[in-house]
Amino acid sequence: MFKRISGARDILPEEVFLWQDIEEISRRTFSLYGYKEIRPPLIEEAHLFKRSLGASSEIIQKQMFLIKNKKELYALRPEGTASIVRSYIENNLQKREGFVKFYYLGPMFRLERPQKGRLRQFHHIGVEAVGSCAADLDVEIISLAENLLKNFSISGFKIKLNSLGCPDDKLKLASILRKNLKGKIAGLCKDCKVRFKKNILRVLDCKNESCRQVIKEVDINEACLCSDCKVHFTKVKQGLDSLKINYEVTPYLVRGLDYYTRTVFEITHDALGAQDALGAGGRYDNLVKELGGPDIGAIGFAFGVERLLLVKTQDTGRKGQGLIYLITLGEKARNEGIRILDSLRRNSLACETDYESKSLKAAMRQANNLGARFVLMLGEDELTKGVITIKDMASGAQKQVKPDTLELIKELKC
Ligand code: AMP
């Protein structure tokens, strides 16, 4: 017996409709904001991610799915941003389009220790706006993320906001941290001891309680931001205020990847437990240039679909929506039933039937399980009378009509 690998899931049909809802709502919402879909490959040169996310980031250090091919090293994508920037540069989109707004949906791969809300194959819904440094774009993108959650019928989330500043500001923050934490390394967890040397900003958003205690004592505020970055951050906050979007300025929010600059944000939900981030994003104003493209700013975010589904309490009740279930009794009725089934489907009505000729009771049970709206019954009696019985599953009412396609369509419209 083969089993799926740990941290990868089968999304079975009974759940797929929830995924389709999330995808449909996303597409509709993104198009309102002018985002177009992009579909980069799931596999890239591994070096692209190392260069973009940073050699010392957790993803590069521990979580890459790598595939060796002769002298080349490929990776299953752990996130979408690097591929999209690569694609923007490689397809010369700066010349063709300049400023672009893209969205993407699809699987990502990280070799993590699987637990609730943390998988090895999970799915992102994300956006990237490439080609502008305007603070208005940060406001628009955070508003889009919030609106998207509302459209998914998700409430009770928190938006955490911070500004990391430009690369010089990040260096300033790292040096302040190094000075302040030097005498306190013993109180840090094993991972943060390594982070202290390799990626000190990451110590700030460590979830470990002992690290939090140590960090609490370090005064982190906007003092590290240069004047331009301060102005940018003020504009973002004012813009969010004017749209009445609730957010919390969280100076400890740093995000783990090298490419982030200026605005970073994370959207959390208490119902998720330890892995509480529904989604996250931020600016990456130097990445396009870093990867060989023009010197232009960019910003994006991604939600994890599995986590959205963990907190989404209302479903749209699409199960069996409008479904018609046909039950036939006897060989002759079966042949006539198949003709009716085919013609209803060709007229865009969703129909299902019992292929195994079960008893009437068993077939009714299946119709119920599928959430059928109507059941059509055709037996000896109906054939003799030249009718078909329609049962309305909501009211229980039954009526007999001619088994004529147009007549049936009229009766079965719900
Ligand atoms: P990140 O690229 O790490 O900022 O991730 C963005 C979002 O993707 C997170 O907020 C989570 O909702 C989701 N996510 C990240 N890693 C995982 C994972 N291993 N399993 C499930 N969802 C994840």
Side-chain angles (χ1 to χ4, degrees):
M1 274 270 282
F2 290 109
K3 289 192 165 176
R4 64 196 151 77
I5 66 160
S6 171
R9 291 184 57 223
D10 296 310
I11 304 160
L12 297 175
E14 68 222 36
E15 204 193 337
V16 161
F17 78 96
L18 293 172
W19 285 71
Q20 289 168 341
D21 274 352
I22 294 264
E23 288 161 8
E24 271 170 40
I25 293 167
S26 304
R27 289 180 198 285
R28 225 180 308 130
T29 311
F30 290 147
S31 73
L32 295 176
Y33 291 75
Y35 286 79
K36 295 195 184 123
E37 187 172 0
I38 183 166
R39 299 186 186 192
L42 305 193
I43 189 163
E44 296 272 2
E45 258 182 69
H47 195 63
L48 168 70
F49 298 111
K50 195 168 171 189
R51 185 74 188 270
S52 310
L53 315 188
S56 61
S57 64
E58 213 120 304
I59 295 182
I60 298 298
Q61 289 274 310
K62 300 186 195 159
Q63 300 170 350
M64 294 287 276
F65 270 98
L66 296 168
I67 302 161
K68 259 197 175 137
N69 177 41
K70 295 185 189 145
K71 284 190 183 150
E72 281 147 350
L73 192 59
Y74 300 143
L76 295 183
R77 63 179 188 187
E79 56 108 62
T81 308
S83 301
I84 288 170
V85 172
R86 195 255 325 123
S87 172
Y88 179 87
I89 299 167
E90 189 175 347
N91 293 294
N92 210 7
L93 296 185
Q94 198 226 353
K95 287 232 169 68
R96 279 166 49 191
E97 307 199 27
F99 175 59
V100 296
K101 284 170 155 184
F102 290 141
Y103 76 84
Y104 57 95
L105 319 166
M108 303 292 160
F109 305 86
R110 294 184 195 171
L111 203 48
E112 307 213 51
R113 198 163 50 79
Q115 53 182 282
K116 186 187 165 203
R118 184 180 271 195
L119 295 159
R120 289 179 167 175
Q121 179 180 329
F122 60 98
H123 296 75
H124 268 172
I125 286 184
V127 298
E128 311 291 348
V130 182
S132 171
C133 286
D136 288 348
L137 188 58
D138 307 32
V139 175
E140 183 189 278
I141 229 164
I142 295 170
S143 170
L144 163 60
E146 197 222 27
N147 192 14
L148 202 54
L149 289 176
K150 289 195 171 150
N151 290 345
F152 294 149
S153 307
I154 292 175
S155 55
F157 53 85
K158 277 191 205 122
I159 302 177
K160 296 178 175 168
L161 181 75
N162 193 20
S163 174
L164 297 174
C166 55
D168 283 348
D169 298 346
K170 282 169 79 176
L171 286 177
K172 224 188 299 168
L173 177 60
S175 124
I176 291 177
L177 277 178
R178 217 166 281 122
K179 220 185 287 161
N180 278 275
L181 293 178
K182 210 170 173 186
K184 298 175 180 143
I185 299 175
L188 298 177
C189 71
K190 210 171 92 215
D191 283 344
C192 281
K193 284 186 178 125
V194 178
R195 289 176 188 141
F196 180 84
K197 288 193 193 133
K198 294 193 168 169
N199 193 354
I200 195 158
L201 296 191
R202 275 303 334 244
V203 175
L204 284 182
D205 64 2
C206 179
K207 300 260 186 319
N208 192 300
E209 200 40 51
S210 64
C211 299
R212 288 195 170 205
Q213 288 306 324
V214 172
I215 289 151
K216 250 192 201 166
E217 291 163 24
V218 184
D219 183 28
I220 316 260
N221 54 39
E222 289 174 32
C224 290
L225 298 185
C226 65
S227 56
D228 282 355
C229 289
K230 251 186 214 156
V231 169
H232 184 96
F233 195 33
T234 305
K235 277 190 192 163
V236 174
K237 287 184 284 184
Q238 283 171 345
L240 292 173
D241 292 340
S242 75
L243 297 183
K244 301 208 169 9
I245 292 175
N246 284 325
Y247 62 91
E248 272 170 34
V249 173
T250 313
Y252 299 101
L253 179 68
V254 289
R255 317 278 312 120
L257 311 178
D258 274 8
Y259 60 59
Y260 283 117
T261 50
R262 289 195 166 171
T263 311
V264 284
F265 61 98
E266 191 168 81
I267 304 186
T268 58
H269 200 293
D270 287 345
L272 284 173
Q275 306 298 322
D276 66 352
L278 277 175
R283 276 209 159 269
Y284 47 95
D285 288 341
N286 298 305
L287 184 61
V288 185
K289 191 169 167 219
E290 269 286 304
L291 295 183
D295 188 4
I296 48 174
I299 181 166
F301 69 73
F303 282 115
V305 180
E306 286 78 2
R307 294 198 195 164
L308 293 174
L309 289 173
L310 283 174
V311 297
K312 188 165 148 47
T313 46
Q314 288 175 24
D315 74 42
T316 46
R318 265 211 310 183
K319 188 182 170 201
Q321 208 177 37
L323 183 72
I324 295 153
Y325 192 91
L326 172 77
I327 301 173
T328 55
L329 297 170
E331 182 76 20
K332 237 169 122 193
R334 184 79 201 147
N335 293 339
E336 175 64 1
I338 286 171
R339 188 195 60 73
I340 294 170
L341 202 67
D342 188 64
S343 93
L344 291 178
R345 284 173 173 156
R346 282 173 191 270
N347 281 281
S348 307
L349 292 177
C351 303
E352 203 31 287
T353 190
D354 151 36
Y355 296 97
E356 301 300 320
S357 301
K358 292 183 197 128
S359 66
L360 179 62
K361 204 167 144 199
M364 278 306 266
R365 200 177 315 123
Q366 198 185 356
N368 257 320
N369 288 343
L370 291 174
R373 176 76 182 81
F374 294 104
V375 167
L376 299 181
M377 284 177 285
L378 197 60
E380 287 290 321
D381 190 34
E382 280 88 356
L383 282 180
T384 319
K385 288 200 221 153
V387 293
I388 188 165
T389 303
I390 302 177
K391 179 169 180 166
D392 182 327
M393 296 297 275
S395 67
Q398 286 192 195
K399 66 152 81 161
Q400 294 193 320
V401 299
K402 269 209 233 138
D404 166 74
T405 306
L406 287 179
E407 183 86 12
L408 279 170
I409 291 172
K410 207 169 73 199
E411 293 293 337
L412 297 171
K413 282 266 185 284
C414 44

